[in-house]
């Protein structure tokens, strides 16, 4: 193993004793600080012993230079060592007396490459570091810059990147002769590896941890940090030790694993993707058709005849191509050792009233000690989560994760992983879940101009603008792709990751080949998640807003890269308001203007205007949210998608190609689709009508250009009892029932922490038995969902591959000031063989009409442009059990359509045989 400051690997063959301690040689020795004068600008270097404190600075001049004041000053790191030769400090200074290490003030601006990397300090003063200075040795010590009584610490990522950027091996490398460990720790004074035979020191196996002696800016002293390997590929059950494991070992491969890359479900184009979002534990925790000891685990997916797998097979047959799994890496919040979990008696909970607050009290009392969490608490990105394995020790989690992927592929579903590279759960030298901040403190986590960790994502923001952070992200993606054969990645809050990181990652994945890597990288889809759309305009918030830390991967910035991003515009326009607005704010499908719920939407004229605006937003979304798609807006003017604006002035259209848009109306964040519809629609609406509103929502997503995305349970009216944030609400509020007996509505008031302010309006609905759907409603929703997916895949015209194709073929009717309110009419035209103009894509249909009627009554729409066609209701709708849609009609002589209330109808023109 090696410290990499010398870039010369040092490795050893591990013994079979209880543990072997390896001391890494170092070329640098501790250096004491020389006495210095205060009237100068210089770097302070402190003793590198483990007892370094601020008082080690030999300050004895000036009445204000007390040790306490100095220590307070050094809690801040307001100067930036941005390159080997430059320190940036936002301080006006004059000349000072000669000192041992003197910085020379410069009138020049920071170099352009420095400004590009650190735009937030572009106006700072430049101080030149003496060229003969031994910078590498200084970086292992406590550092500060001072001018008279002003003292501050230094932020080091810039100079670390310049001097220590590294592309060699990292982690554990296996050969026939030995195992070599490589750790990037340029600021460490000493690193030791402790090797154990087993996770606790008692059983067979081999684990290790690092002991890193390093100066830590959070404590102002050199700390001995015990840490896992950042490149860990396995862990002990308690997560405290790294497993030495070779992912290429034949013993870790399920039967047929090496052939899986050649047997993946077929995918001709990213435009053919449909995504179904699923939490590993939700999938099977309540499934009685799966053995109890594997419910909530990876292995649950291997029971191909279970209720859950039969449900996924049905969705796969209808058209779903990818299952997206919420975080499956090692995260905090759930103990991997199941015998430590606490549980609640569900029988007791079932006896309580549907609007009681007792259920949530019982659940939240143990919510940090049960087996449930969404998993957005990253500890180690490259290890499968142990709580989803039947045995969290050893290599079990690796094998079982692979079996899960294999099982999903076997029923025609590719696998997308949710990756959370924007933050880490813990930091500091002592937290048991801290890893990266123990090894190179102050490097992996983004800090503000005062030196404190940024927390805008949630907590402990990472800094992909730093070379080795970006490298770790890309190496991790490569590991999951090649060693676990996953098919795509959804990046959480990718606006906090730099655009160049995303482009580099996509390029790396795209260049993977079956011959060299065992996977076809050209079929790996990358998509960005922005779950909190209304936090700020354009998903651009926190310290990265307006490219504050470099060009970030925001919705607008990734346009043209081929990377997908979630289209919150269509969601908000359809449902109304936003996840952070008033829960009763109505939208296009939930009754805005047409069926008011009593919540203030302004005057009648205001509501009508909002309805027309929402329609424009939805139409842009149905055209893949393309920024250059031309349509006629509510005023009758021809505009581009980017010229249609949201309520805060941001462009609605931002995509350059259809697969850069992921259309959705619900995801794991916020209320489920059924719940939000139940909140926003009038309280006296019937259950039948409310369920049809759900059908409307999923139909629009299924029939839009771009990539459709569905939250698990959208298709079966899933409820979380109106919980708006169920990340830690246990199995009780997150239950999925694939027996279709219940949708989980009315299982008590949702947890107080996130929902209490809405309890009054929630209680009214949960206590009303008319809100609870019957099994017949659930089955009808599933058939309706499956039908629209099947319609999507019945014609390539619903999955156009280029922006040009969409502009040429997709058109919206019923537009302008005289349009019928609450009705969207979209046509998609195909060409004919041998006829100039459009090429022929669909061998069956030459023309398709989609009409969405959200009105509470039948809608009539007449268009002279649509006269004389041979249109008929889509055969799938003609065969469906939905008798209402069968009442849809088209009169060829007049071009008049009649569409039943709350119905989406699809008409097709078959080609002449």
């Amino acid at each position: 193993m090696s410290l990499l400051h010398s870039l010369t690997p040092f490795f050893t063959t591990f013994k079979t004793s209880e543990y072997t301690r390896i001391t890494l040689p170092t070329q640098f020795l501790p250096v004491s600080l020389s006495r210095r004068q205060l009237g100068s600008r210089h770097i302070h270097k402190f003793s590198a012993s483990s007892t370094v404190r601020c008082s080690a600075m030999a300050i004895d001049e000036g009445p204000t230079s007390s040790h306490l004041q100095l220590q307070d000053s050094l809690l801040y790191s307001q100067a930036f060592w941005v390159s080997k030769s430059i320190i940036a400090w936002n301080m006006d200074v004059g000349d000072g007396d000669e000192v041992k290490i003197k910085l020379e003030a410069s009138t020049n601006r920071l170099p352009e490459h420095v400004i590009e990397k650190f735009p937030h300090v572009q106006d700072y003063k430049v101080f030149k570091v003496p060229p003969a200075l031994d910078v590498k040795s200084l970086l292992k010590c406590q550092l500060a810059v001072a001018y008279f009584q002003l003292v501050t610490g230094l932020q080091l990522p810039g100079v670390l990147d310049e001097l220590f950027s590294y592309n060699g091996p990292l982690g554990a490398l296996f050969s026939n002769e030995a195992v070599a460990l490589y750790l990037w720790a340029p600021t460490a004074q000493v690193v030791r590896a402790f090797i154990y035979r087993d996770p606790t020191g008692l059983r067979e196996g081999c684990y290790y941890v690092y002991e890193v002696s390093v100066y830590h800016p959070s404590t102002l002293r050199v700390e001995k940090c015990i840490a896992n390997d950042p490149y860990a590929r396995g862990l002990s059950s308690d997560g405290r030790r790294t497993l030495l494991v070779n992912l290429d070992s034949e013993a870790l491969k399920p039967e047929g694993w090496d052939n899986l890359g050649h047997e993946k479900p077929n995918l001709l184009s990213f435009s053919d993707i449909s995504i179904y979002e699923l939490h590993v534990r939700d999938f099977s925790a309540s499934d009685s058709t799966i053995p109890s000891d594997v419910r909530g685990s990876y292995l649950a997916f291997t029971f191909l005849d279970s209720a859950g797998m039969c449900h996924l097979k049905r969705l796969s047959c209808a058209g779903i191509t990818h299952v997206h799994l919420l975080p499956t890496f090692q995260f905090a919040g759930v103990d991997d050792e199941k015998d430590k979990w606490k549980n609640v008696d569900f029988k007791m909970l079932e006896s309580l009233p549907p609007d009681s607050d007792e259920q949530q009290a019982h659940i939240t009392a143990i919510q940090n000690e049960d087996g449930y969490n969404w998993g957005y608490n990253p500890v180690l990105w490259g290890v499968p989560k142990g709580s989803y394995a039947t045995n969290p020790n050893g290599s079990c989690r690796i094998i079982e994760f692979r079996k899960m992927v294999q099982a999903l592929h076997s029923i025609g579903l590719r696998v997308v992983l949710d990756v959370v590279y924007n933050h880490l759960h813990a930091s500091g030298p002592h937290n048991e879940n801290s890893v990266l901040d123990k090894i190179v403190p102050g490097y992996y986590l983004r800090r503000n101009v005062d030196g404190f960790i940024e927390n805008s994502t949630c907590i402990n923001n990472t800094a992909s603008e730093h070379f080795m952070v970006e490298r770790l992200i890309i190496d991790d993606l490569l590991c999951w792709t090649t060693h676990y054969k996953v098919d795509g990645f959804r990046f959480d809050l990718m606006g906090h990751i730099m655009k160049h990181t995303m482009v580099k990652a996509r390029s790396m994945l795209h260049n993977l080949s079956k011959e060299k890597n065992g996977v076809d990288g050209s079929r790996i889809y990358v998509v960005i998640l922005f779950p909190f759309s209304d936090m700020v305009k354009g998903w651009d918030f926190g310290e990265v807003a307006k490219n504050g830390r470099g060009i970030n991967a925001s919705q607008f910035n990734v346009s043209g890269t081929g990377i997908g991003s979630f289209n919150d515009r269509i969601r908000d326009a359809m449902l109304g308001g936003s996840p952070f607005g008033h829960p009763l704010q109505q939208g296009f499908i939930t009754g805005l203007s047409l069926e008011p719920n009593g919540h203030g939407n302004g005057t009648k004229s205001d509501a009508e205007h909002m309805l027309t605006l929402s329609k424009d937003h939805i139409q842009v979304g149905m055209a893949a949210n393309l920024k250059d798609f031309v349509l006629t807006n509510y005023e009758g003017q021809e505009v581009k998608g980017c010229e249609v604006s949201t309520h805060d002035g941001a462009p609605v259209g931002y995509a350059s190609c259809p697969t850069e848009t992921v259309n959705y109306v619900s995801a794991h964040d916020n209320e489920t689709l059924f719940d939000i519809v139940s909140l926003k629609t009038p309280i006296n609406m019937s259950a039948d009508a409310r369920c049809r509103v759900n059908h409307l929502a999923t139909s629009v997503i299924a029939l839009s250009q771009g990539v459709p995305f569905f939250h698990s349970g959208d298709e079966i009216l899933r409820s979380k009892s109106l919980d708006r944030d169920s990340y830690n609400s246990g199995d009780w509020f997150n239950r999925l029932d694939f027996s279709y007996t219940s949708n989980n509505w009315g299982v008590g008031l949702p947890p107080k922490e996130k929902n209490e302010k809405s309890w009054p309006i929630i209680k009214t609905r949960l206590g009303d038995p008319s809100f609870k759907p019957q099994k017949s409603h659930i089955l009808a929703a599933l058939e309706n969902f499956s039908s629209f997916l099947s319609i999507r895949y019945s014609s390539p015209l619903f999955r156009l591959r280029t922006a040009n194709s969409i502009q040429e073929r997709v058109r919206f009717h019923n537009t302008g000031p005289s349009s019928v309110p609450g009705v969207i009419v979209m046509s998609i035209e195909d060409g004919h063989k041998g006829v100039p103009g459009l090429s022929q894509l669909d061998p069956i249909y030459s023309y398709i009409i989609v009409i969405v009627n959200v009105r509470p009554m039948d809608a009539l729409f007449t268009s002279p442009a649509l006269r004389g066609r041979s249109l008929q209701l889509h055969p799938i709708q003609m065969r469906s059990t939905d008798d209402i849609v069968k009442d849809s009609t088209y009169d060829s002589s007049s071009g008049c359509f009649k569409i039943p209330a709350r119905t989406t109808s699809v008409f097709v023109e078959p080609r002449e045989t």
Side-chain angles (χ1 to χ4, degrees):
M1 53 190 302
S2 170
L3 270 180
L4 300 188
H5 56 250
S6 63
L7 301 186
T8 304
F10 171 83
F11 62 90
T12 183
T13 301
F14 303 129
K15 310 297 183 183
T16 56
S17 58
E18 181 182 359
Y19 70 85
T20 302
R21 187 173 74 181
I22 304 170
T23 301
L24 296 181
T26 176
Q27 65 188 27
F28 302 127
L29 298 175
V31 181
S32 297
L33 173 71
S34 300
R35 188 181 183 91
R36 57 187 174 75
Q37 297 179 353
L38 284 174
S40 309
R41 305 169 300 283
H42 50 277
I43 302 171
H44 300 290
K45 181 172 64 174
F46 301 88
S47 169
S49 69
S50 61
T51 58
V52 167
R53 289 181 175 82
C54 292
S55 57
M57 296 178 62
I59 300 177
D60 57 6
E61 300 184 32
T64 62
S65 56
S66 71
H67 292 166
L68 181 60
Q69 288 174 320
L70 179 59
Q71 184 163 352
D72 289 343
S73 296
L74 289 174
L75 288 172
Y76 296 82
S77 296
Q78 297 170 325
F80 295 74
W81 200 336
V82 294
S83 71
K84 181 180 178 181
S85 61
I86 295 175
I87 287 176
W89 192 15
N90 195 23
M91 179 59 57
D92 289 319
V93 297
D95 292 332
D97 298 331
E98 236 359 85
V99 292
K100 187 169 183 180
I101 304 175
K102 180 181 178 181
L103 302 180
E104 178 186 347
S106 172
T107 58
N108 296 329
R109 290 194 73 207
L110 288 168
E112 285 303 317
H113 73 278
V114 171
I115 293 175
E116 182 179 356
K117 186 165 185 173
F118 303 106
H120 58 299
V121 299
Q122 60 183 297
D123 295 324
Y124 279 32
K125 301 294 181 181
V126 174
F127 299 94
K128 293 288 188 178
V129 177
L133 193 65
D134 186 358
V135 174
K136 290 185 177 181
S137 64
L138 284 176
L139 295 176
K140 294 178 176 295
C141 306
Q142 183 178 15
L143 301 170
V145 292
Y147 177 69
F148 289 97
Q149 290 81 19
L150 299 174
V151 181
T152 188
L154 277 161
Q155 298 190 38
L156 305 180
V159 67
L160 290 178
D161 278 353
E162 181 171 314
L163 296 180
F164 293 104
S165 294
Y166 172 75
N167 286 302
L170 288 169
L173 270 70
F174 291 78
S175 68
N176 293 331
E177 296 77 24
V179 178
L181 298 180
Y182 297 83
L183 179 70
W184 188 75
T187 60
Q189 296 172 5
V190 179
V191 178
R192 296 181 176 92
F194 293 85
I195 315 298
Y196 302 84
R197 293 180 63 186
D198 62 86
T200 61
L202 299 175
R203 295 185 298 276
E204 292 297 322
C206 200
Y207 292 79
Y208 67 101
V209 294
Y210 288 118
E211 180 191 82
V212 183
S213 296
V214 64
Y215 171 74
H216 208 289
S218 69
T219 62
L220 303 180
R221 59 181 294 159
V222 173
E223 301 282 0
K224 282 189 176 181
C225 302
I226 303 299
N228 280 302
D229 192 331
Y231 278 72
R233 298 298 178 239
L235 287 171
S236 58
S237 61
D238 61 2
R240 303 283 77 85
R241 295 177 179 176
T242 300
L243 176 68
L244 273 170
V245 59
N246 182 1
L247 296 181
D248 290 321
S249 170
E250 294 298 321
L252 304 185
K253 298 177 181 178
E255 183 179 353
W257 180 253
D258 285 336
N259 295 325
L260 195 61
H262 300 276
E263 299 171 354
K264 286 179 179 285
N266 191 37
L267 182 68
L268 296 178
S269 166
F270 288 157
S271 292
D272 294 329
I273 292 175
S274 292
I275 302 174
Y276 184 77
E277 181 193 46
L278 185 63
H279 184 272
V280 169
R281 184 163 180 83
D282 287 355
F283 172 68
S284 61
S286 303
D287 191 344
S288 62
T289 66
I290 292 175
S292 58
D293 60 334
V294 295
R295 291 176 196 165
S297 73
Y298 302 127
L299 280 186
F301 291 88
T302 67
F303 290 82
L304 298 183
D305 294 325
S306 69
M309 286 302 282
C310 287
H311 183 81
L312 292 184
K313 288 178 194 175
R314 177 169 183 169
L315 298 185
S316 175
C317 290
I320 291 291
T321 61
H322 288 63
V323 165
H324 157 252
L325 299 174
L326 266 66
T328 53
F329 49 76
Q330 186 66 17
F331 59 80
V334 174
D335 200 305
D336 287 349
E337 298 172 302
K338 297 179 179 62
D339 58 353
K340 296 181 179 178
W341 294 355
K342 292 184 178 180
N343 298 286
V344 176
D345 181 1
F346 277 19
K347 291 291 185 184
M348 178 270 293
L349 296 181
E350 288 168 357
S351 69
L352 299 172
D355 58 347
S356 169
D357 65 354
E358 293 185 55
Q359 294 96 327
Q360 64 87 31
H362 287 291
I363 294 299
T364 56
I366 64 161
Q367 66 181 4
N368 296 320
E369 300 172 272
D370 65 356
Y372 196 89
N373 197 287
W374 280 348
Y376 292 91
N377 312 315
V379 176
L380 281 163
W381 293 325
V383 182
K385 176 61 177 169
S387 66
Y388 296 146
T390 56
N391 179 1
N393 275 314
S395 57
C396 185
R397 66 178 79 192
I398 297 167
I399 298 170
E400 292 180 357
F401 190 102
R402 287 172 166 176
K403 287 183 176 180
M404 173 185 68
V405 173
Q406 201 171 35
L408 288 168
H409 282 178
S410 75
I411 63 170
L413 294 171
R414 289 178 170 239
V415 178
V416 174
L417 296 189
D418 199 321
V419 288
V420 185
Y421 296 127
N422 62 77
H423 74 275
L424 291 166
H425 181 66
S427 61
H430 306 303
N431 191 303
E432 62 183 13
N433 289 314
S434 175
V435 177
L436 297 177
D437 199 44
K438 290 178 177 178
I439 292 170
V440 192
Y443 179 81
Y444 286 97
L445 302 180
R446 187 179 291 136
R447 296 196 281 170
N448 63 23
V449 293
D450 289 325
F452 300 112
I453 295 171
E454 295 278 10
N455 296 307
S456 57
T457 61
C458 175
I459 191 172
N460 297 318
N461 296 5
T462 54
S464 71
E465 60 269 25
H466 302 162
F467 183 90
M468 296 302 287
V469 182
E470 177 178 88
R471 183 191 160 176
L472 179 56
I473 291 170
I474 292 173
D475 287 349
D476 192 66
L477 294 170
L478 180 63
C479 176
W480 286 110
T481 304
T482 57
H483 289 295
Y484 292 97
K485 302 189 188 301
V486 301
D487 307 284
F489 298 94
R490 185 177 75 167
F491 287 71
D492 182 61
L493 284 182
M494 194 44 59
H496 275 67
I497 301 288
M498 293 300 107
K499 178 181 176 180
H500 63 73
T501 303
M502 294 301 305
V503 172
K504 192 172 180 179
R506 186 178 186 273
S507 176
M508 178 276 294
L509 293 170
H510 187 80
N511 289 326
L512 299 178
S513 66
K514 291 181 182 178
E515 295 72 27
K516 183 178 179 181
N517 310 103
V519 293
D520 181 2
S522 67
R523 293 293 177 261
I524 296 172
Y525 187 55
V526 177
V527 60
I528 299 171
L529 168 66
F530 303 98
F532 305 119
S533 69
D534 240 41
M535 290 180 72
V536 291
K537 187 190 326 184
W539 307 97
D540 208 21
F541 65 96
E543 74 281 3
V544 299
K546 300 180 180 178
N547 300 317
R549 294 301 180 97
I551 300 175
N552 62 329
S554 65
Q555 277 178 327
F556 297 111
N557 286 343
V558 298
S559 176
T561 66
I563 297 170
S565 66
F566 278 61
N567 180 14
D568 55 309
R569 279 83 158 149
I570 196 171
R571 177 200 64 186
D572 292 349
M574 289 174 66
L575 299 178
S578 76
F580 295 89
H582 195 284
L584 298 185
Q585 178 68 51
Q586 291 180 289
F588 189 78
I589 68 166
T590 55
L592 176 61
S593 177
L594 302 171
E595 291 182 279
N597 61 10
H599 173 69
N601 288 314
T603 65
K604 185 175 185 294
S605 176
D606 290 337
E608 291 172 351
H609 180 64
M610 291 169 62
L611 185 69
T612 60
L613 287 175
S614 297
K615 179 178 169 181
D616 281 354
H617 293 190
I618 294 167
Q619 290 175 154
V620 175
M622 293 181 76
N625 223 53
L626 297 172
K627 61 183 179 182
D628 292 327
F629 179 80
V630 178
L631 73 161
T632 302
N633 70 4
Y634 71 97
E635 295 176 313
Q637 299 174 340
E638 283 199 350
V639 294
K640 293 181 178 179
C642 62
E643 295 170 336
V644 179
S645 299
T646 64
H647 66 90
D648 58 1
V652 170
Y654 57 80
S656 296
C657 70
T659 55
E660 289 182 353
T661 292
V662 177
N663 284 317
Y664 76 117
V665 285
S666 73
H668 64 276
D669 280 302
N670 313 121
E671 294 90 349
T672 67
L673 175 59
F674 179 84
D675 284 351
I676 202 68
V677 167
S678 298
L679 277 174
K680 292 176 180 292
T681 50
I683 199 165
N684 60 352
M685 180 180 280
S686 70
D688 288 345
R690 197 171 289 113
C691 291
R692 290 198 72 82
V693 174
N694 276 260
H695 302 173
L696 285 170
T698 54
S699 72
V700 171
I701 299 303
L703 301 179
S704 294
Q705 303 292 331
V707 175
F709 173 98
F710 305 98
H711 178 222
S712 55
D714 279 354
E715 75 284 10
I716 51 175
L717 307 180
R718 181 186 188 178
S719 172
K720 296 180 182 179
S721 209
L722 294 169
D723 191 348
R724 72 179 309 273
D725 189 0
S726 67
Y727 80 102
N728 202 18
S729 299
D731 294 330
W732 179 254
F733 287 100
N734 287 284
R735 283 186 298 180
L736 271 172
D737 181 4
F738 292 125
S739 72
Y740 314 132
T741 303
S742 169
N743 77 330
N744 208 44
W745 171 268
V747 297
L749 287 170
K752 182 177 181 179
E753 178 190 4
K754 302 282 187 174
N755 302 279
E756 185 181 18
K757 69 177 183 179
S758 296
W759 271 5
I761 61 175
I762 289 174
K763 188 175 179 66
T764 302
R765 288 157 174 78
L766 294 181
D768 186 342
S770 70
F771 274 77
K772 186 175 179 64
Q774 303 302 308
K775 184 171 184 175
S776 59
H777 291 123
I778 295 171
L779 292 173
L782 177 58
E783 191 203 356
N784 189 279
F785 180 87
S786 301
S787 293
F788 280 113
L789 270 179
S790 297
I791 289 172
R792 177 179 182 84
Y793 288 93
S794 71
S795 172
L797 297 179
F798 287 111
R799 310 184 312 279
L800 297 173
R801 300 182 182 182
T802 67
N804 188 56
S805 292
I806 293 173
Q807 186 62 67
E808 289 180 330
R809 299 167 187 268
V810 175
R811 181 184 174 192
F812 290 96
H813 311 261
N814 189 41
T815 57
S818 61
S819 63
V820 180
V823 178
I824 293 174
V825 182
M826 177 180 73
S827 65
I828 316 174
E829 185 176 5
D830 200 14
H832 300 267
K833 287 183 178 178
V835 178
L838 295 175
S839 60
Q840 180 177 322
L841 302 177
D842 190 336
I844 301 174
Y845 305 122
S846 61
Y847 202 81
I848 296 175
I849 293 284
V850 176
I851 304 182
V852 181
N853 176 22
V854 305
R855 300 166 65 85
M857 72 287 289
D858 291 357
L860 294 175
F861 168 70
T862 301
S863 171
L866 299 176
R867 291 176 187 162
R869 291 196 169 273
S870 302
L871 293 167
Q872 60 188 45
L873 194 63
H874 199 289
I876 291 175
Q877 291 191 309
M878 288 297 297
R879 295 192 301 266
S880 76
T881 59
D882 181 3
D883 291 330
I884 293 177
V885 75
K886 294 176 185 177
D887 289 336
S888 305
T889 62
Y890 163 70
D891 180 69
S892 177
S893 61
S894 64
C896 180
F897 296 84
K898 179 175 79 85
I899 309 299
R902 305 185 187 94
T903 298
T904 298
S905 303
V906 181
F907 294 85
V908 292
E909 186 173 70
R911 293 188 182 278
E912 296 180 1
T913 56

